[in-house]
Amino acid sequence: MEALIFDVDGTLADTETAHLHAFNAAFAEVGLDWYWDEALYTRLLNVAGGKERLLHYWHVADLECANGSCIHDVIEAVHAVKTRHYAARVSGGGLPLRPGIARLMAEAHAAGLPVAIATTTTPANLDALLRAPFGPAWRERFAAIADAGTTQVKKPAPDVYLDVLRQLGLRGANCMAFEDSANGLRAARAAGVPTVVTPTAYTAHDAFEGALAVLPHLGDPHTPIASPVEGEAPGWVDLMTLRRWHRHALSATA
Ligand code: XBP
Ligand code: MG
């Protein structure tokens, strides 16, 4: 196992409620009488990418528009306002990392194991979320980053994972991915990356066949998880566990 590749939204942190509130704040600010509740947003999350999600909602809601160009302009404008609201909500440490993330990244750093990010979210969201836990130089923690600024085609397409693998100079099979959603799992698997899934309430209903493991989160000494293996003590996922799971995954495909 030569690198860890993390998704962001739902994986590094449980961010989608903050995204939802930011979308609704943007609708109100621009004067759109739209409101997304959690049930609708959970369904809309099947479309990765905030701009793509807005366009999907526009078509599903069969909304009027003078001509095709206005849809594009409205979506760009609404999404820029939404990104400002999201950054305001999560910057300054408003949203903690999920259990095990900081610990696993520290273990990887101590072991000299590269850590990367493969996300469909907007670059500005990364800075707002990661500046607090990792400091202003947070980008130095990551050997490679692919996001909506570097890669146009969103998950479940593998593009962000292929971009990260190209930057790392590694094969997908030699890495480990961490995701929260079916779209993310499909993207990582399409790039050949063995994947551990830690769903959130928004994605708990997704289907995760092909995942190496599906866990409530990665755990920590103070927030242990029930062991994924019957009879093993509750605990947390550390590098040794991941290397063991990765070896099993490689031998299963050999
Ligand atoms: C999840 C997404 C993003 C966020 C909203 O990204 O699909 O679109 O929901 O962020 P990840 P934007 O791949 O990290 O799970 O509005 O910036 O797209
Ligand atoms: Mg995600």
Side-chain angles (χ1 to χ4, degrees):
M1 184 173 78
E2 297 177 72
L4 306 182
I5 306 174
F6 288 90
D7 162 56
V8 173
D9 290 308
T11 301
L12 288 189
D14 194 346
T15 59
E16 291 297 351
T17 296
H19 280 299
L20 173 56
H21 292 168
F23 276 112
N24 285 325
F27 300 153
E29 181 174 323
V30 304
L32 281 172
D33 64 347
W34 300 356
Y35 178 77
W36 292 351
D37 62 18
E38 285 205 354
L40 172 57
Y41 192 64
T42 299
R43 292 196 302 277
L44 291 173
L45 271 174
N46 288 321
V47 178
K51 293 178 185 175
E52 292 80 357
R53 198 166 303 142
L54 285 164
L55 183 62
H56 171 76
Y57 174 70
W58 196 306
H59 289 315
V60 162
D62 196 19
L63 297 164
E64 286 304 309
C65 187
N67 56 52
S69 69
C70 98
I71 294 182
H72 173 79
D73 299 345
V74 168
I75 285 174
E76 287 297 322
V78 169
H79 195 259
V81 173
K82 175 265 174 183
T83 300
R84 172 167 43 84
H85 280 283
Y86 176 79
R89 284 173 182 279
V90 305
S91 53
L95 207 55
L97 296 175
R98 292 192 71 190
I101 295 294
R103 172 184 54 77
L104 207 48
M105 283 192 177
E107 285 183 37
H109 182 71
L113 190 68
V115 175
I117 282 179
T119 177
T120 58
T121 203
T122 301
N125 296 347
L126 291 181
D127 191 60
L129 180 69
L130 300 179
R131 186 175 276 267
F134 297 124
W138 63 269
R139 281 183 177 276
E140 293 169 13
R141 301 276 184 127
F142 299 98
I145 296 177
D147 57 32
T150 62
T151 314
Q152 305 322 311
V153 182
K154 301 292 190 318
K155 300 173 185 175
D159 296 52
V160 283
Y161 279 98
L162 295 175
D163 277 359
V164 159
L165 291 171
R166 202 172 15 255
Q167 291 177 57
L168 293 170
L170 295 174
R171 290 178 53 243
N174 295 342
C175 300
M176 182 74 81
F178 300 84
E179 275 283 354
D180 69 305
S181 68
N183 272 344
L185 172 61
R186 281 203 292 273
R189 298 302 298 128
V193 188
T195 306
V196 172
V197 177
T198 51
T200 67
Y202 288 100
T203 57
H205 60 283
D206 282 7
F208 296 120
E209 62 268 356
L212 212 51
V214 181
L215 304 170
H217 50 74
L218 296 174
D220 269 326
H222 52 281
T223 44
I225 47 176
S227 167
V229 178
E230 193 57 42
E232 267 191 15
W236 48 92
V237 176
D238 59 12
L239 275 191
M240 190 170 60
T241 307
L242 290 174
R243 289 194 192 284
R244 187 171 73 244
W245 290 354
H246 189 264
R247 279 195 303 275
H248 290 169
L250 283 187
S251 57
T253 53

